[in-house]
Amino acid sequence: MSFTTKDVILKEDRPKTLLLQKHSDYLAGYGLNKDDYEFCMTEFLRMSGVYWSLTAMELMGQSSRMQKDEIIEFIATCQDNESGGVSASIGHDPHMLYTLSAVQVLAMYDRLDAINVEGVVRYVVSMQQDDGSFFGDQWGEVDTRFSFCAVMCLSLLHRLDAIDVNKAVDFVLSCMNFDGGFGSKPGSESHAGLIYCCVGTLSICKRLDALKADELAWWLCERQLPSGGLNGRPEKLPDLCYSWWVMSSLSMLNRIHWVDKKSLEDFILACQDAETGGFSDRPGDVPDPFHTLFGLAGLSLLGNTSIKNVNPTYCMPQETIDRLKLEPQILHV
């Protein structure tokens, strides 16, 4: 029996340089047509979309092209007065994912005063369970993504003391697998996106010492395919977003040099749309703000000096993290 690796082939006429101006134009124009089909169909992601777009623009030094006042007003309108949580869009239910996105955006704008911070803290605290895990919303789904959302959110607000941090860490560590990786809950398959969430949680809580660092870093490096791209778990196609999930985790583990940086950079650049701007999941696919952020953030981690430094734990400009006086842990080798 023979096995073939799932991968893509990079074409010779692919983009090979960073098209910063096109990406800025793409994001500046995204969502301006409120009747656009794609805009209407992604309402449930609106708050995350604001975070992806603004962060990408911040990293390119182009955030002045975003509608700052309109964004701040939108976020304030999406906060639920009763629970304190923030929703994806006006009229939706609050959720941990969108609460974090809202706090990240307001932290970048230095406008946390635009929402009821105590309400946010109350909402996050209400989601922690007896075993240290967190619900995503009132409907009770548990996932390590929500642990990360809770810890990062409170960290940005300097209110990490409001939850039981030790229990939160213990739950995340209970999700560690034999390969050093993490899944969504105890016993779940290791996945690069969830590994980032768990390593990020431990970085903020300063407990990276609890990791099986070499085993985990090796598993992450094994995600690189011959094309240079990274996948999220074995036998999957490469996807540009893992240029962030994998490389940020390796950065926190201080082992980013274990990956072939040049071939990964070639893959990331190949995912640009040379006509419209923006990045897609794989070369030739349709671009979107999600992959545009993680393409730029991945290049930042690789040392591209035309993009601002991104913090590998928070996925925000390092200058914002410095201004907030936050010091997430990086593992010493």
Side-chain angles (χ1 to χ4, degrees), residues 93-136:
D93 291 335
H95 195 287
M96 291 285 281
L97 291 171
Y98 310 120
T99 300
L100 173 59
S101 292
V103 170
Q104 287 176 292
V105 169
L106 293 176
M108 283 186 278
Y109 275 143
D110 197 17
R111 281 300 313 277
L112 287 167
D113 61 299
I115 55 171
N116 179 354
V117 170
E118 287 306 316
V120 171
V121 173
R122 184 175 71 249
Y123 178 72
V124 174
V125 169
S126 73
M127 293 293 117
Q128 187 170 31
Q129 306 306 300
D130 291 341
D131 64 355
S133 66
F134 285 84
F135 286 167

Side-chain angles (χ1 to χ4, degrees), residues 7-23:
D7 201 0
V8 298
I9 297 175
L10 303 188
K11 296 180 180 179
E12 186 55 38
D13 63 349
R14 68 187 184 273
K16 297 176 183 176
T17 58
L18 182 56
L19 310 172
L20 276 182
Q21 189 59 50
K22 281 189 174 290
H23 302 321

